[in-house]
Amino acid sequence: MKTPSHDLIVFGATSFVGQILTRYLAEQFGAHGHLKWAIAGRSEAKLAALRNSLGLAAGKLPVVVADAADEVALRQMCQDTRVVISTVGPYALYGEPLVKACAETGTDYCDLTGEVQWIRRMIRAYEPAARKSGARIVHCCGFDSIPSDLGVHFLQQRSRERFGEPCTEVKMRVKAARGGFSGGTAASLINVVKEAATNPALRKELANPYSICPEGYAPQVRQPNLKSAQYDADFDAWVAPFVMSGINTRIVQRSNALSKQAYGKDFRYDEAMLMGRGLKGRVAATGLTAGLAGFMLAGALPPTRWALERFVLPAPGEGPSAEVQRKGFFDLRFLGRTTDGRTLRVKVTGDRDPGYGSTARMLGQAGACLVLDLPESGRKGGFWTPATLFGDRLIERLVAHSGLTFEVLED
Ligand SMILES: NC(=O)c1ccc[n+]([C@@H]2O[C@H](COP(=O)([O-])OP(=O)(O)OC[C@H]3O[C@@H](n4cnc5c(N)ncnc54)[C@H](OP(=O)(O)O)[C@@H]3O)[C@@H](O)[C@H]2O)c1
């Protein structure tokens, strides 16, 4: 078999998040450095403009042209690289042919999808091919769900060191975050709400905390599911539902399932936003809960969905400014509790806006981890999660190169 020309290809390099990612890869690895990477997408002209904007001459950074629906071009692209990073979304609309090509050609893959229903479909359809070919497929390599998945992994390791056992219950609370929305994320979110509005089976699937766990995996544990404003005594604060919990909790449960229940067979996990103390906290939590419910309802009904897309949400290709990304950050708190009530607190932070500045760096380092840290000789193909495939290696990369921190908080 011929040696691939590239280590890594960014497919969708001209997307809003893809442009931030390519700039980051250029800073981190240069062109033609120890990581040989290329940019790909459907428009040669846009790709050339992107390469020029990075200050790289033609020939310095290879360009690959492929449409997300062109299976032949995607297969050729996969056969010429070890790893593909994809930012072409909504993935439920455009992503399947590339996952199929990677699974069948043994090409490693990571992306930014947060679309549970699509991930489930991909696992069911292509896990056998990925196992056979050795392709390692890792969805959710951005803000959803790396901080959650690696945050729990980190906490459970400290728990085993300190208490000799994992925590049966873990809560993640968003203490603070600042950033903005992009058109691609808005389109992906609206697409899920739209599909769910007309499909009761999908609504049931989205409500199942184990929906992307291997078939037949169904622990008899009731997972917490925050739907309204509540007081959380562990954090002495009011909490409101967190919009990303629908994907993050599923990824964390899949990590537990894939690791032979390393977090325990009774493991419970939930996520929420910290809204403050007293009456002010209660009002804020109630207001956010109502706002979220209103958004979901507006997204489900055709006339209000049209108005949201037309007047409120950013269009595809748009997103937060460089200044908003630079001034953005996130601060997540985890509380773990063992069966006999011992507790451990962990903090995970990022120094850029969660959705773009930090997400692009996380995705870039996930791709680099596949190329540089996980030798193909040790490969076991299949659909992984960030914690089960990358684990500590990615934490080290994120701390060293992506502005993330992972630390235990002493009481
Ligand atoms: N998990 C997270 O934390 C996170 C954070 C941010 C974004 N995301 C997700 O990442 C994805 C990208 O977001 P974004 O805001 O960067 O999106 P965007 O700016 O709208 O970009 C979408 C990309 O898809 C490409 N594309 C569309 N149709 C295509 C086709 N037929 N063939 C090839 N390429 C095609 C577009 O190409 P052109 O440039 O040629 O138009 C563009 O590069 C979304 O699904 C979003 O939900 C996730």
Side-chain angles (χ1 to χ4, degrees):
M1 217 172 83
K2 122 175 189 302
T3 314
S5 314
H6 317 292
D7 290 325
L8 185 152
I9 289 181
V10 179
F11 184 57
T14 53
S15 69
F16 186 78
V17 72
Q19 294 180 49
I20 306 169
L21 168 63
T22 47
R23 204 152 293 126
Y24 175 65
L25 289 177
E27 279 162 26
Q28 290 282 308
F29 302 103
H32 281 308
H34 69 299
L35 187 116
K36 296 198 287 299
W37 61 288
I39 51 176
R42 61 179 164 179
S43 159
E44 192 166 6
K46 278 179 91 173
L47 289 164
L50 172 63
R51 189 195 53 217
N52 293 343
S53 77
L54 297 172
L56 297 169
K60 273 272 178 193
L61 182 64
V63 164
V64 179
V65 179
D67 190 279
D70 182 344
E71 292 202 20
V72 174
L74 294 176
R75 238 187 137 81
Q76 272 172 6
M77 177 174 86
C78 290
Q79 279 161 343
D80 209 19
T81 186
R82 290 176 53 201
V83 176
V84 177
I85 289 179
S86 174
T87 69
V88 174
Y91 294 86
L93 299 182
Y94 309 122
E96 178 165 354
L98 178 58
V99 171
K100 179 171 185 269
C102 286
E104 290 177 354
T105 55
T107 310
D108 294 334
Y109 167 97
C110 51
D111 71 19
L112 288 182
T113 184
E115 298 147 84
V116 179
Q117 83 289 11
W118 181 70
I119 296 173
R120 184 180 150 98
R121 285 206 290 273
M122 295 306 97
I123 296 173
R124 299 289 185 266
Y126 303 113
E127 176 117 63
R131 286 205 179 140
K132 196 164 156 219
S133 71
R136 297 166 298 187
I137 311 280
V138 198
H139 296 301
C140 302
C141 291
F143 182 61
D144 41 314
S145 302
I146 281 184
S148 300
D149 200 27
L150 290 184
V152 175
H153 167 86
F154 179 85
L155 180 144
Q156 296 292 30
Q157 279 188 321
R158 306 290 86 78
S159 175
R160 272 189 291 270
E161 285 162 15
R162 199 171 277 198
F163 306 136
E165 59 181 300
C167 291
T168 349
E169 179 193 359
V170 177
K171 293 176 172 187
M172 187 285 263
R173 301 291 179 250
V174 181
K175 182 161 190 276
R178 190 192 297 156
F181 240 68
S182 80
T185 298
S188 301
L189 200 62
I190 286 284
N191 189 50
V192 180
V193 177
K194 190 164 108 186
E195 273 195 55
T198 53
N199 184 343
L202 173 60
R203 286 202 293 277
K204 195 167 163 218
E205 193 182 302
L206 292 174
N208 174 6
Y210 308 112
S211 64
I212 56 170
C213 290
E215 264 174 294
Y217 180 85
Q220 297 306 303
V221 186
R222 219 184 151 74
Q223 294 296 329
N225 181 16
L226 185 79
K227 285 195 173 137
S228 55
Q230 271 176 26
Y231 176 72
D232 185 339
D234 283 325
F235 290 85
D236 185 19
W238 282 81
V239 293
F242 175 45
V243 70
M244 301 299 182
S245 72
I247 175 63
N248 294 340
T249 55
R250 279 38 174 178
I251 289 288
V252 170
Q253 291 297 346
R254 182 168 171 84
S255 291
N256 193 32
L258 294 186
S259 61
K260 299 200 177 76
Q261 298 184 310
Y263 307 158
K265 63 181 177 23
D266 297 326
F267 175 65
R268 272 173 296 130
Y269 179 68
D270 82 326
E271 299 191 341
M273 310 236 340
L274 291 177
M275 303 304 298
R277 296 185 182 151
L279 185 61
K280 220 170 139 194
R282 183 179 191 157
V283 170
T286 310
L288 185 67
T289 308
L292 204 57
F295 177 81
M296 294 301 175
L297 187 65
L301 303 172
T304 39
R305 181 167 63 235
W306 177 83
L308 269 183
E309 286 173 329
R310 179 87 173 71
F311 301 114
V312 181
L313 298 170
E318 293 176 3
S321 67
E323 170 143 356
V324 170
Q325 291 169 38
R326 212 173 29 252
K327 288 187 170 164
F329 66 92
F330 62 86
D331 179 346
L332 311 180
R333 302 300 168 100
F334 294 76
L335 172 101
R337 182 173 280 114
T338 59
T339 2
D340 60 4
R342 287 171 294 175
T343 59
L344 186 63
R345 286 181 193 262
V346 158
K347 173 175 159 181
V348 176
T349 65
D351 68 353
R352 287 283 189 283
D353 76 300
Y356 304 95
S358 274
T359 280
R361 293 161 167 220
M362 289 186 246
L363 181 62
Q365 291 300 339
C369 196
L370 274 167
V371 174
L372 302 171
D373 303 342
L374 298 170
E376 297 194 33
S377 55
R379 71 164 48 206
K380 195 163 164 269
F383 282 68
W384 294 85
T385 58
T388 51
L389 187 65
F390 304 130
D392 293 345
R393 292 187 190 91
L394 186 55
I395 292 182
E396 283 160 23
R397 284 187 167 277
L398 296 176
V399 170
H401 309 292
S402 303
L404 266 71
T405 66
F406 291 76
E407 66 176 293
V408 171
L409 296 175
E410 302 300 344
D411 282 333

